[in-house]
Amino acid sequence: MHQKTQIIMAKYKRILLKLSGESLMGDQQYGIDQQRLGDYAEEIAAIVKSGVQVGIVIGGGNIFRGLSGAAKGFDRVKGDQMGMLATVINSLALNSALVGQGIKSKVLTAIRMEPVGEYYSKDKAVEALENGEVVIISGGTGNPYFTTDTASALRGIEIEAEVMLKGTRVDGIYTADPEKDKTATKFDKISFDEIYNRNLRIMDLTATTLCKENNLPIYVFNMDQKGNLQKVMSGEDLGTLVYC
């Protein structure tokens, strides 16, 4: 009961949640781990039921990454298009899992592929959010050479989200990669300018520049730890806030 009260007192009203495709693999080497997918859906459902409007962009690295494909000989444009399709697969899986939790959910695509998903527009996305539906925006930006980080920044700005919540496998931003450098220390808050100056690649430069120029803060946290999304929404300081 206490946890439910915390969720109702949500810190944000409308968010853009960026999820990692790789995290969907769980302990597998490829594809979608059903337990991880179910955990994500359960957490998202909890905050939606508390009245939070949720837009989601999810990567496709658990299935195919354009950059890695290009490194193996694929044409970069074709590789990125394959990556876009991978994000659609993940979006459909998450949509199905959310529906299983009793949550209304809509998949929008950045490139036309009806009846798989509806073609994205800001008006369509905002209308669905205001109607209490989760909006999963797939297909990246619809263009090659842009990452899903850039897509999440762009969509977050378009739908007028208050914050981008970037769910990762680490609990925030560190002075160095904590998985490689045990002396790395974590930031509770950091400015976009300091991220540039320290060359901290939490996202690609296009994405961070978009967020900075349009005053969209980013909150980086560990999404793989069950319960963290609800804790972030109730105001607990679990990760790192990137501010303008």
Side-chain angles (χ1 to χ4, degrees), residues 161-174:
E162 296 170 65
V163 66
M164 181 203 298
L165 299 184
K166 183 173 170 61
T168 68
R169 62 186 181 190
V170 294
D171 62 346
I173 301 171
Y174 285 74

Side-chain angles (χ1 to χ4, degrees), residues 22 26 49 56-57 64 69 76 92 108 153 164 190 193 199 206:
E22 285 91 338
K49 289 172 182 175
I56 299 173
V57 170
F64 191 88
R76 174 65 192 272
L92 291 172
L108 302 180
M164 181 203 298
I190 187 170
D193 288 339
N199 196 31
T206 306

